[in-house]
mmCIF file of all heavy atoms in Angstrom:
data_model
loop_
_atom_site.group_PDB
_atom_site.id
_atom_site.type_symbol
_atom_site.label_atom_id
_atom_site.label_comp_id
_atom_site.label_asym_id
_atom_site.label_seq_id
_atom_site.Cartn_x
_atom_site.Cartn_y
_atom_site.Cartn_z
ATOM 1 N N ALA A 203 13.144 8.146 -9.221
ATOM 2 C CA ALA A 203 14.449 8.842 -9.499
ATOM 3 C C ALA A 203 15.638 8.285 -8.697
ATOM 4 O O ALA A 203 16.742 8.195 -9.234
ATOM 5 C CB ALA A 203 14.224 10.300 -9.103
ATOM 6 N N ILE A 204 15.321 7.832 -7.486
ATOM 7 C CA ILE A 204 16.390 7.255 -6.623
ATOM 8 C C ILE A 204 16.771 5.747 -7.099
ATOM 9 O O ILE A 204 17.959 5.463 -6.932
ATOM 10 C CB ILE A 204 15.947 7.294 -5.174
ATOM 11 C CG1 ILE A 204 15.832 8.679 -4.686
ATOM 12 C CG2 ILE A 204 16.912 6.452 -4.248
ATOM 13 C CD1 ILE A 204 15.141 8.819 -3.289
ATOM 14 N N TYR A 205 15.785 5.114 -7.642
ATOM 15 C CA TYR A 205 16.016 3.663 -8.033
ATOM 16 C C TYR A 205 15.813 3.497 -9.521
ATOM 17 O O TYR A 205 14.865 2.893 -9.990
ATOM 18 C CB TYR A 205 15.062 2.722 -7.261
ATOM 19 C CG TYR A 205 15.282 2.663 -5.793
ATOM 20 C CD1 TYR A 205 14.606 3.568 -4.951
ATOM 21 C CD2 TYR A 205 16.091 1.726 -5.242
ATOM 22 C CE1 TYR A 205 14.749 3.437 -3.598
ATOM 23 C CE2 TYR A 205 16.271 1.577 -3.833
ATOM 24 C CZ TYR A 205 15.626 2.495 -2.993
ATOM 25 O OH TYR A 205 15.698 2.351 -1.634
ATOM 26 N N PRO A 206 16.707 4.115 -10.357
ATOM 27 C CA PRO A 206 16.537 3.872 -11.821
ATOM 28 C C PRO A 206 16.646 2.393 -12.135
ATOM 29 O O PRO A 206 17.514 1.640 -11.612
ATOM 30 C CB PRO A 206 17.762 4.660 -12.406
ATOM 31 C CG PRO A 206 18.771 4.777 -11.239
ATOM 32 C CD PRO A 206 17.932 4.815 -10.025
ATOM 33 N N GLY A 207 15.786 1.997 -13.048
ATOM 34 C CA GLY A 207 15.812 0.576 -13.490
ATOM 35 C C GLY A 207 14.972 -0.334 -12.657
ATOM 36 O O GLY A 207 14.827 -1.541 -12.966
ATOM 37 N N VAL A 208 14.447 0.068 -11.479
ATOM 38 C CA VAL A 208 13.647 -0.684 -10.671
ATOM 39 C C VAL A 208 12.165 -0.457 -11.087
ATOM 40 O O VAL A 208 11.811 0.790 -11.253
ATOM 41 C CB VAL A 208 13.796 -0.359 -9.160
ATOM 42 C CG1 VAL A 208 12.796 -1.116 -8.230
ATOM 43 C CG2 VAL A 208 15.187 -0.772 -8.731
ATOM 44 N N ARG A 209 11.371 -1.415 -11.164
ATOM 45 C CA ARG A 209 9.941 -1.283 -11.473
ATOM 46 C C ARG A 209 9.108 -1.255 -10.171
ATOM 47 O O ARG A 209 9.250 -2.207 -9.415
ATOM 48 C CB ARG A 209 9.465 -2.329 -12.427
ATOM 49 C CG ARG A 209 10.020 -2.273 -13.813
ATOM 50 C CD ARG A 209 9.550 -3.358 -14.711
ATOM 51 N NE ARG A 209 8.052 -3.253 -14.819
ATOM 52 C CZ ARG A 209 7.406 -2.472 -15.687
ATOM 53 N NH1 ARG A 209 8.124 -1.652 -16.425
ATOM 54 N NH2 ARG A 209 6.092 -2.399 -15.766
ATOM 55 N N PHE A 210 8.270 -0.222 -10.052
ATOM 56 C CA PHE A 210 7.403 -0.175 -8.914
ATOM 57 C C PHE A 210 6.007 -0.505 -9.241
ATOM 58 O O PHE A 210 5.493 -0.120 -10.332
ATOM 59 C CB PHE A 210 7.518 1.176 -8.224
ATOM 60 C CG PHE A 210 8.815 1.408 -7.518
ATOM 61 C CD1 PHE A 210 9.756 2.274 -8.189
ATOM 62 C CD2 PHE A 210 9.141 0.864 -6.353
ATOM 63 C CE1 PHE A 210 10.997 2.511 -7.601
ATOM 64 C CE2 PHE A 210 10.366 1.100 -5.741
ATOM 65 C CZ PHE A 210 11.309 1.931 -6.397
ATOM 66 N N VAL A 211 5.247 -1.185 -8.460
ATOM 67 C CA VAL A 211 3.851 -1.429 -8.569
ATOM 68 C C VAL A 211 3.176 -0.898 -7.292
ATOM 69 O O VAL A 211 3.511 -1.244 -6.176
ATOM 70 C CB VAL A 211 3.545 -2.913 -8.700
ATOM 71 C CG1 VAL A 211 2.012 -3.186 -8.652
ATOM 72 C CG2 VAL A 211 4.186 -3.521 -9.979
ATOM 73 N N TRP A 212 2.154 0.025 -7.487
ATOM 74 C CA TRP A 212 1.491 0.501 -6.307
ATOM 75 C C TRP A 212 0.363 -0.489 -5.868
ATOM 76 O O TRP A 212 -0.419 -0.960 -6.731
ATOM 77 C CB TRP A 212 0.750 1.847 -6.625
ATOM 78 C CG TRP A 212 0.191 2.487 -5.405
ATOM 79 C CD1 TRP A 212 -1.153 2.540 -5.099
ATOM 80 C CD2 TRP A 212 0.869 3.078 -4.277
ATOM 81 N NE1 TRP A 212 -1.407 3.167 -3.915
ATOM 82 C CE2 TRP A 212 -0.148 3.496 -3.351
ATOM 83 C CE3 TRP A 212 2.204 3.322 -3.956
ATOM 84 C CZ2 TRP A 212 0.218 4.143 -2.186
ATOM 85 C CZ3 TRP A 212 2.466 3.969 -2.841
ATOM 86 C CH2 TRP A 212 1.517 4.325 -1.852
#
Side-chain angles (χ1 to χ4, degrees):
I204 293 168
Y205 294 91
V208 174
R209 292 182 58 82
F210 291 103
V211 173
W212 186 257

